[in-house]
């Protein structure tokens, strides 16, 4: 299929295949059921990460750092660190190290959305995070969402990183339901007058300049019900169980410490956490003090144009926010790090 697509127009084509494997068929059935049950969505706002490709590498990009940062500069800082550690640990070639450190030096002083170093293009990529809902509330994890082989509850348990190894490829084979979802989201933009004019203008422009849609892997959060609706109580996580583990950690350690809860409330939170764990695949907790928590399934929508994934928009920059800065000590072309101030 890809060989038939004119270069630079990959973002206008999709390769749709019917599910043949039993697991894929089950996922397709789950997606169909969810589309009927959760019939509208709420946009949380943009998230940012880093994608890369070899220079001249065609239309495919690979996620380097998860698309989960709240502001573009956090993604740039993540790239700064990735390149610094690559220069320190991953090469003995002085020329390669010089190129990597030159890129680090620029990232320390310039708010760049793209930079090339040692034969690789790096780009800050932007997605919209959204949540499917119905009148009863947000969509929980689906039965066919991937889970880790071992479901431990220790907060230090290591799992696959969000977006690990994900390849951004608009014309990669996709299921019927995912293709339908991507088409339905092509016109997604900010229309409400509550958004600043610059945000709305950038959003309208992106529909034209980046007409393709790729869905990043499903992610999961813990949300808390507030007077304003459902608010995030955790970071984005790669599996439903990781979100459930985060919820238990919040109830047994984090919130009792942060809010300095008295012992009776600590005991109530611990009891709720134990009941939640014992339930196995539970997705909600209601506490004695009225707080309500949900494990939910989040979607992230990444726009694609002729040159690949959309970068951060001018209106995404946070006025008065933290800018570029030095994150690591100086290093020479031989890999020697100077810790002297």
């Amino acid at each position: 299929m890809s060989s038939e697509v004119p270069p630079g127009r990959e973002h206008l084509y999709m390769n749709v295949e019917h599910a043949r494997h039993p697991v894929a068929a089950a996922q397709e059935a789950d997606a169909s059921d969810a589309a009927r049950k959760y019939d509208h969505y709420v946009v949380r706002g943009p998230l940012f990460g880093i994608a890369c490709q070899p220079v001249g590498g065609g239309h495919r990009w690979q996620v380097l750092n998860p698309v989960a940062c709240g502001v573009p500069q956090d993604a740039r800082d993540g790239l700064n660190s990735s390149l610094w550690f690559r220069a320190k640990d991953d090469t003995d070639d002085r020329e390669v190290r010089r190129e990597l450190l030159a890129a680090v030096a620029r990232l320390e002083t310039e708010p760049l959305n793209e930079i090339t170093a040692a034969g690789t293009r790096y780009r800050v990529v932007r997605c919209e995070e959204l949540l499917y809902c119905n009148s009863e509330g947000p969509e929980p994890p689906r039965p066919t969402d991937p889970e880790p082989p071992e479901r431990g509850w220790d907060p230090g348990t290591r799992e696959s990183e969000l977006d690990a190894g994900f390849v951004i490829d608009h014309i990669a084979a996709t299921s019927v339901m995912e293709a339908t979802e991507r088409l339905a989201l092509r016109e997604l933009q900010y229309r409400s007058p509550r958004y600043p004019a610059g945000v709305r203008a950038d959003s309208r422009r992106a529909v034209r300049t980046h007409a393709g849609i790729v869905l990043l892997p499903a992610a999961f959060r813990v949300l808390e019900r507030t007077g304003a609706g459902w608010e995030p109580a955790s970071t984005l996580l790669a599996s439903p169980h990781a979100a459930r583990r985060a919820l238990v950690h919040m109830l047994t350690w984090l919130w009792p410490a942060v809010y300095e809860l008295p012992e009776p409330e600590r005991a109530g939170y611990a009891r709720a956490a134990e009941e939640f764990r014992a339930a196995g695949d539970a997705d909600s907790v209601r506490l004695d003090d009225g707080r309500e928590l949900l494990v939910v399934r989040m979607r992230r929508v990444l726009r694609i144009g002729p040159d690949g994934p959309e970068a951060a928009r001018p209106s995404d920059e946070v006025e008065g926010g933290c800018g570029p800065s030095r994150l690591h000590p100086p290093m020479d072309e031989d890999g020697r790090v100077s810790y002297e101030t």
Side-chain angles (χ1 to χ4, degrees):
M1 173 77 178
S2 60
S3 61
E4 303 168 8
V5 177
R9 297 179 66 82
E10 291 90 355
H11 64 298
L12 302 178
Y13 290 77
M14 280 197 291
N15 180 10
V16 183
E17 294 185 356
H18 287 281
R20 294 183 176 87
H21 192 278
V23 173
Q27 291 172 330
E28 188 81 336
D30 256 4
S32 179
D33 291 343
R36 287 193 294 269
K37 185 174 182 180
Y38 300 96
D39 55 1
H40 66 278
Y41 59 79
V42 176
V43 178
R44 269 208 75 238
L47 293 171
F48 307 89
I50 300 295
C52 63
Q53 67 165 191
V55 172
H59 69 278
R60 294 180 181 86
W61 293 69
Q62 185 166 15
V63 175
L64 176 68
N65 294 344
V67 189
C69 297
V71 295
Q73 189 56 47
D74 285 352
R76 295 179 191 120
D77 288 345
L79 176 58
N80 181 328
S81 286
S82 293
L83 296 181
W84 191 90
F85 280 106
R86 182 180 169 195
K88 176 177 177 290
D89 300 328
D90 295 344
T91 184
D92 293 321
D93 188 310
R94 298 174 76 190
E95 180 60 32
V96 169
R97 187 176 286 117
R98 276 196 295 267
E99 286 194 45
L100 294 170
L101 293 176
V104 168
R106 291 191 64 194
L107 289 165
E108 291 175 345
T109 58
E110 301 176 58
L112 301 173
N113 283 333
E114 184 164 332
I115 194 166
T116 298
T120 301
R121 297 173 71 189
Y122 299 92
R123 179 178 295 176
V124 175
V125 296
R126 179 193 199 278
C127 76
E128 294 286 359
E129 183 185 15
L130 54 88
L131 173 66
Y132 286 102
C133 306
N134 62 16
S135 59
E136 298 176 357
E139 181 185 12
R142 299 174 185 172
T144 51
D145 284 324
E147 293 278 24
E150 296 184 10
R151 303 190 194 183
W153 293 97
D154 187 324
T157 301
R158 295 183 64 86
E159 289 185 15
S160 296
E161 187 177 49
L162 185 68
D163 301 330
F166 184 77
V167 176
I168 301 168
D169 182 357
H170 196 277
I171 57 175
T174 190
S175 68
V176 173
M177 285 306 302
E178 181 163 315
T180 303
E181 185 178 3
R182 287 164 61 180
L183 288 172
L185 293 169
R186 283 189 64 179
E187 299 300 317
L188 173 65
Q189 60 182 284
Y190 297 129
R191 292 186 171 90
S192 171
R194 69 187 179 90
Y195 293 108
V199 171
R200 298 199 306 272
D202 279 353
S203 186
R204 287 193 301 271
R205 187 179 305 111
V207 174
R208 299 192 307 273
T209 62
H210 294 76
I213 291 290
V214 167
L215 296 173
L216 291 168
F220 305 87
R221 281 190 190 271
V222 180
L223 301 186
E224 180 180 8
R225 187 192 291 274
T226 70
W230 291 97
E231 299 289 340
S234 78
T235 59
L236 276 180
L237 296 158
S239 72
H241 186 74
R244 295 183 184 110
R245 184 171 56 242
L247 191 157
V248 168
H249 178 60
M250 283 190 286
L251 294 180
T252 56
W253 184 84
L254 184 62
W255 281 5
V258 169
Y259 298 116
E260 299 180 347
L261 298 179
E263 187 54 40
E265 288 188 51
R266 286 175 179 260
Y269 277 38
R271 184 170 58 253
E274 186 55 39
E275 291 172 355
F276 180 82
R277 283 182 53 168
D281 291 340
D283 294 320
S284 64
V285 168
R286 187 183 296 273
L287 302 172
D288 293 340
D289 58 10
R291 301 179 86 166
E292 186 177 355
L293 299 168
L294 287 182
V295 173
V296 300
R297 187 181 203 269
M298 309 298 297
R299 272 317 227 169
R300 291 169 298 154
V301 181
L302 194 152
R303 288 197 168 276
I304 308 293
D307 190 39
E310 183 185 16
R313 302 171 185 172
S315 58
D316 291 325
E317 302 301 331
V318 179
E319 188 173 346
C322 295
S325 63
R326 171 172 284 182
L327 303 178
H328 301 283
M331 184 191 315
D332 66 20
E333 63 184 18
D334 293 312
R336 291 187 292 263
V337 179
S338 174
Y339 293 99
E340 298 179 2
T341 57

